[in-house]
Amino acid sequence: MHAPQGGLMVAIKATLKRDLTLMLRRRGEVLNPLVFFALVITLFPIGISPDPELLASIAPGLLWVAALLAALLSLDSLFRSDYDDGSLEQLLLAPQPLAALGLAKVAVHWLLTGLPLALMAPLLGIMLSLPAGSYAVLALSLALGTASLSLIGAIGAALTVGLARGGVLLSLLVLPLYIPVLIFGAGAVQAAIFGEGIAAHLAILGALLALALMLAPWAIAASLRISING
Amino acid sequence: MAFSSLNEFFAMGGHAVYVWAAWGVTALLMLVIVWHARQERRQLLNVVKRRARRENAQRNAQPSHAQPLQEPVNSAQKDVHHDA
Amino acid sequence: MWAFINKLRSPKWFYAISAKLQPLFWVAATLLLLVGTVWGLAFAPADYQQGNSFRIIYVHVPAAFLAQSIFVSMAVSGLVFMVWKIKVADMVATVMAPLGAAMTFVALFSGAVWGVPTWGTWWMWDARLTSMLILLFLYLGVIALRGAFSSRDSGSRAASVLAMVGVINIPIIKYSVDWWYTLHQPATFTITGRAAMTMDMWAPLLIMVLGFYSFFIALTLMRTRSEILRREANKRWVRELAEETN
């Protein structure tokens, strides 16, 4: 008999703490998506045109797409090191539900990729001459949206963690599922620029997140079991 | 009948290229799919038959050793009889 | 119900019953597709705005319907496979995926061709075409994931999970794409968006849709039988059957 009620919270806290410590030790991995985000945003004015008006009109979409790709880039390592050193198997054997522990890992992933990306986006927005008044919405929509992205992406990461060359496959699996989040996320920023109401967009992003929070942990747990048990 | 002559039918009121391309590609793809499914089935049947023949031959050659594990002995003997 | 599910567990039973059902569906598919083709191409009236290019609807819409239905059937088969461990359900899901991708391609191709006389361009980010394109990527993902595993059972279960995740997302994707489209292209004319079809335009469309569905069922039965031969080649009944069909 394991500790009945407190056991789950203790296990979740332990997972959170362990993953945070591990990730903070590998600062490179935390910084990489941010550098990638800044780099991709630098490429667009060079590839398209430095004209501020043109850039301002496409900035919401560019920022959202680049942030989405940066989040995607970090997914492959979500379960990889735990898979390699066998601690993922320990997680499966734990008496606590795997879905809850998986959710804790995803939370850490969002805290160290999604949230920094959201905080950094306004800075890059300035460089793309994003119109004033939409900066807060950009950060907010990214913070909400990347949480859904982490949850959906974790399903793909869990499905491909056992595969030798899972990286490209992972993007094929995950990107189509990202489209609704992209539509409403970029839509929110666009609406803020045009001075329209943003509440509806953010509400839908929140609804998507709620749905992902309800369903994704089970899919993540099932996928991890498939990847580990061969 | 929406057309008064065969030529008019093939011309599709100037949209011949589009209508016939869409229908042609669809029909062609469906035919290829059916052809592939038939091919697949024939090939798999051949594989199964060849394997059955080979195993029967093996059993005939050395009746006491060459039996696959899941086969009960009496059924193997039935096979020998069936083959002869 | 339970007796039926238990019977489904046996590939042998499925092999026998599908042998009886298969010809029925092939006959239905051939007849419906022939009647629908002749009616749709030659007898249905031309659209007053689009003229004869409107006849592309008779392949575009059935293919689009089928593409979506096959993904749903694939996810349901995946669920049945995961819950009851019925091997036949996974075989059905395996053989459905390429047909679904092919139908998605047909819908995309016919939509693109239709776009030339209607919009004057091969590609428009039209709501239906965009969701079809995303659906194609979803199909490719399921097929690629199944193929990426070295163990067949893992590949099957992974593909089932992905198909279920995909099927939950399809309506969300569809609605968000529709919303996105109306936001950005409010005045553009959608190819099949209008309800101004008369009865003699609808009837051949219905026949074609039924024909496409019969084709799908017939082909799925046929290819599932092949898949049974492939996976159960070591079983005694398969070998006996091979000897019988000489």
Side-chain angles (χ1 to χ4, degrees):
Chain A
M1 288 296 122
H2 300 277
Q5 277 304 312
L8 181 59
M9 284 324 289
V10 171
I12 289 177
K13 264 187 207 153
T15 312
L16 283 172
K17 203 172 156 195
R18 170 184 172 277
D19 274 32
L20 267 173
T21 318
L22 278 176
M23 282 297 280
L24 287 174
R25 266 188 214 152
R26 287 171 303 184
R27 288 212 188 83
E29 258 179 54
V30 179
L31 287 175
N32 275 345
L34 296 174
V35 176
F36 177 85
F37 188 27
L39 247 170
V40 170
I41 290 300
T42 313
L43 293 182
F44 282 112
I46 296 173
I48 300 170
S49 145
D51 173 26
E53 254 177 61
L54 177 67
L55 286 177
S57 69
I58 53 173
L62 289 188
L63 288 162
W64 249 94
V65 170
L68 184 147
L69 292 177
L72 179 74
L73 188 75
S74 65
L75 276 179
D76 195 45
S77 63
L78 178 52
F79 298 116
R80 179 72 61 195
S81 66
D82 284 354
Y83 179 81
D84 288 341
D85 67 15
S87 42
L88 210 53
E89 262 168 87
Q90 297 299 316
L91 213 61
L92 251 74
L93 294 174
Q96 287 80 16
L98 183 56
L101 302 181
L103 190 60
K105 292 185 87 68
V106 176
V108 172
H109 177 260
W110 174 76
L111 216 56
L112 294 179
T113 51
L115 197 58
L117 285 173
L119 294 176
M120 191 179 162
L123 203 67
L124 298 170
I126 297 173
M127 292 164 72
L128 291 181
S129 40
L130 189 73
S134 57
Y135 288 80
V137 179
L138 175 67
L140 192 60
S141 70
L142 271 174
L144 261 178
T146 47
S148 306
L149 298 186
S150 288
L151 280 163
I152 300 167
I155 303 173
L159 281 171
T160 53
V161 70
L163 304 171
R165 277 182 298 275
V168 185
L169 185 59
L170 174 61
S171 30
L172 175 61
L173 304 188
V174 163
L175 281 178
L177 305 177
Y178 276 4
I179 286 167
V181 180
L182 173 65
I183 286 176
F184 290 105
V189 184
Q190 211 120 46
I193 293 175
F194 294 138
E196 292 160 12
I198 51 155
H201 295 83
L202 293 180
I204 293 176
L205 278 179
L208 289 176
L209 177 59
L211 195 68
L213 267 174
M214 267 193 306
L215 299 176
W218 308 107
I220 296 168
S223 309
L224 284 176
R225 287 216 171 80
I226 293 166
S227 285
I228 301 269
N229 296 337
Chain B
M1 192 82 185
F3 300 95
S4 53
S5 74
L6 203 61
N7 275 339
E8 212 177 280
F9 172 65
F10 285 120
M12 280 288 159
H15 289 142
V17 193
Y18 314 119
V19 175
W20 294 116
W23 280 77
V25 167
T26 310
L28 194 73
L29 195 69
M30 283 170 107
L31 287 176
V32 168
I33 287 170
V34 173
W35 175 81
H36 164 258
R38 288 177 62 111
Q39 222 33 37
E40 181 190 38
R41 173 160 174 78
R42 198 166 307 153
Q43 210 180 335
L44 283 165
L45 272 175
N46 275 339
V47 169
V48 173
K49 271 183 216 166
R50 219 176 305 137
R51 188 188 290 205
R53 219 174 297 140
R54 193 173 53 230
E55 278 171 19
N56 283 340
Q58 267 176 3
R59 249 178 250 127
N60 283 344
Q62 349 166 236
S64 54
H65 302 298
Q67 289 153 9
L69 274 177
Q70 74 251 41
E71 298 278 331
V73 178
N74 55 356
S75 67
Q77 280 167 347
K78 204 176 78 194
D79 261 6
V80 172
H81 175 72
H82 179 85
D83 209 45
Chain C
M1 176 69 186
W2 282 108
F4 180 70
I5 287 177
N6 273 327
K7 268 188 183 168
L8 264 181
R9 275 180 201 284
S10 147
K12 188 179 176 181
W13 179 82
F14 186 90
Y15 198 89
I17 197 85
S18 58
K20 286 180 199 135
L21 288 173
Q22 203 192 333
L24 284 177
F25 283 102
W26 280 121
V27 169
T30 316
L31 284 178
L32 287 166
L33 289 175
L34 276 178
V35 171
T37 301
V38 172
W39 195 346
L41 275 179
F43 289 91
D47 185 74
Y48 74 103
Q49 248 185 335
Q50 301 187 41
N52 285 305
S53 70
F54 149 86
R55 294 179 200 282
I56 296 175
I57 201 176
Y58 298 120
V59 289
H60 177 76
V61 166
F65 274 9
L66 201 53
Q68 289 167 335
S69 309
I70 293 180
F71 204 98
V72 176
S73 330
M74 204 167 74
V76 171
S77 306
L79 182 72
V80 169
F81 171 65
M82 294 290 273
V83 172
W84 287 295
K85 308 271 175 272
I86 296 175
K87 276 190 282 178
V88 174
D90 177 53
M91 297 183 196
V92 170
T94 312
V95 302
M96 271 179 191
L99 181 65
M103 285 301 136
T104 317
F105 172 77
V106 165
L108 274 175
F109 180 82
S110 54
V113 169
W114 199 352
V116 182
T118 318
W119 303 313
T121 167
W122 288 91
W123 184 264
M124 241 330 221
W125 291 95
D126 162 75
R128 183 197 294 267
L129 287 184
T130 310
S131 349
M132 273 293 139
L133 185 64
I134 300 168
L135 186 65
L136 183 63
F137 290 132
L138 287 175
Y139 270 118
L140 295 180
V142 172
I143 295 172
L145 185 67
R146 185 186 290 278
F149 281 83
S150 48
S151 124
R152 177 182 283 150
D153 188 54
S154 305
S156 298
R157 289 191 295 151
S160 303
V161 170
L162 186 64
M164 285 187 264
V165 171
V167 94
I168 294 171
N169 272 277
I170 283 177
I172 302 175
I173 293 174
K174 217 175 142 42
Y175 285 115
S176 49
V177 167
D178 283 350
W179 180 85
W180 160 82
Y181 182 72
T182 49
L183 188 78
H184 289 272
Q185 315 268 350
T188 323
F189 166 82
T190 44
I191 41 184
T192 52
R194 296 157 319 127
M197 280 173 76
T198 55
M199 195 50 218
D200 43 356
M201 290 166 153
W202 270 116
L205 184 60
L206 186 67
I207 292 177
M208 283 303 273
V209 169
L210 291 175
F212 269 66
Y213 274 95
S214 308
F215 176 83
F216 157 57
I217 295 171
L219 189 88
T220 304
L221 288 176
M222 180 173 180
R223 291 206 61 215
T224 305
R225 288 161 62 78
S226 301
E227 194 66 20
I228 291 175
L229 288 183
R230 195 195 317 268
R231 296 196 195 179
E232 309 271 291
N234 290 323
K235 298 280 162 65
R236 165 136 209 90
W237 69 269
V238 172
R239 249 180 289 152
E240 274 169 5
L241 182 129
E243 281 163 5
E244 278 164 25
T245 50
N246 259 326

